[in-house]
Amino acid sequence: GESVGLHLPTLSVQEGDNSIINCAYSNSASDYFIWYKQESGKGPQFIIDIRSNMDKRQGQRVTVLLNKTVKHLSLQIAATQPGDSAVYFCAENSGGYQKVTFGIGTKLQVIP
Amino acid sequence: DAGVTQSPTHLIKTRGQQVTLRCSPISGHKSVSWYQQVLGQGPQFIFQYYEKEERGRGNFPDRFSARQFPNYSSELNVNALLLGDSALYLCASSFGMNTEAFFGQGTRLTVV
């Protein structure tokens, strides 16, 4: 079955450093990927997405890289700030409807 | 602009009882999806409704049902509650069937 998973459950980063969160997926037919940020007590918040016809997409302080060959994507956060502390989920949506399949999540801890 | 609103925010029910959770999508959004998030895991897709019709269903028992009203708001019903139904129930709205989803804060359901 399809699944989306993360390599590291917890990532601790010094404030100001760059963060890299990795994610592996198993469904080779997946063509749309999303990164979500979830703060404690809140619902997931959209960060950035990428479609399979791209291998890189940049937003404000964030970059998503997609490697379809090894079915891997990553989220890079530049100059990590305390407000970036949260759980980050990679997810895919290839069902033709609004079925988003989430991975387990990585907890990002920013050390002041 | 109001985001996705869910009610109630917290709820405690007893095993065997029934519960109804409510969601109001962002104005103009026609799609509502429901997710269950067990502590420490990523959200799991339950249903999507678009234009008042069920468009997708996840791997959940028939005890879970939902509907969408003419104003595009939605209710999720769970019958014969089990302890394992304790979770954060998230509602997400989107304009189209497969466009960016915006999540609400969720309803924290505790079954005792």
Side-chain angles (χ1 to χ4, degrees), chain B:
Chain B
D1 287 341
V4 178
T5 57
Q6 294 186 242
S7 63
T9 55
H10 295 82
L11 198 55
I12 299 175
K13 289 285 189 177
T14 304
R15 277 178 297 175
Q17 284 188 313
Q18 175 265 342
V19 68
T20 298
L21 311 180
R22 296 176 176 83
C23 172
S24 292
I26 292 172
S27 178
H29 284 191
K30 300 180 179 181
S31 170
V32 170
S33 299
W34 287 95
Y35 291 79
Q36 180 195 66
Q37 187 175 23
V38 175
L39 194 63
Q41 298 182 17
Q44 298 291 313
F45 174 79
I46 309 175
F47 289 110
Q48 183 199 15
Y49 277 76
Y50 178 74
E51 288 284 16
K52 300 178 286 295
E53 291 188 8
E54 182 182 302
R55 302 291 181 155
R57 173 184 281 259
N59 188 24
F60 280 81
D62 293 342
R63 299 185 295 109
F64 289 76
S65 63
R67 55 180 175 169
Q68 187 176 33
F69 299 97
N71 66 352
Y72 302 109
S73 67
S74 178
E75 288 182 350
L76 174 70
N77 295 284
V78 186
N79 294 322
L81 285 166
L82 303 174
L83 294 180
D85 295 331
S86 295
L88 180 68
Y89 288 85
L90 294 161
C91 172
S93 81
S94 59
F95 178 75
M97 275 270 291
N98 195 14
T99 55
E100 181 183 339
F102 296 83
F103 284 83
Q105 304 274 56
T107 293
R108 172 70 64 187
L109 172 65
T110 302
V111 182
V112 297

Side-chain angles (χ1 to χ4, degrees), chain A residues 5-95:
Chain A
L6 299 178
H7 295 306
L8 299 173
T10 304
L11 177 65
S12 295
V13 176
Q14 204 74 34
E15 181 179 356
D17 287 352
N18 297 332
S19 302
I20 300 176
I21 301 172
N22 296 302
C23 177
Y25 62 95
S26 60
N27 184 3
S28 57
S30 298
D31 60 4
Y32 178 51
F33 302 90
I34 314 126
W35 281 97
Y36 287 94
K37 172 186 179 183
Q38 187 173 27
E39 297 175 277
S40 181
K42 297 185 178 181
Q45 177 187 1
F46 174 93
I47 302 173
I48 192 168
D49 59 1
I50 189 168
R51 295 200 178 269
S52 59
N53 60 350
M54 303 173 68
D55 54 16
K56 180 180 180 180
R57 191 158 188 230
Q58 289 184 294
Q60 187 177 13
R61 284 199 308 117
V62 296
T63 300
V64 56
L65 300 177
L66 175 62
N67 185 328
K68 294 180 288 293
T69 302
V70 296
K71 291 186 279 189
H72 179 272
L73 68 159
S74 65
L75 176 70
Q76 300 178 5
I77 304 174
T80 311
Q81 302 169 1
D84 295 327
S85 294
V87 177
Y88 289 80
F89 292 98
C90 66
E92 67 97 19
N93 182 0
S94 304

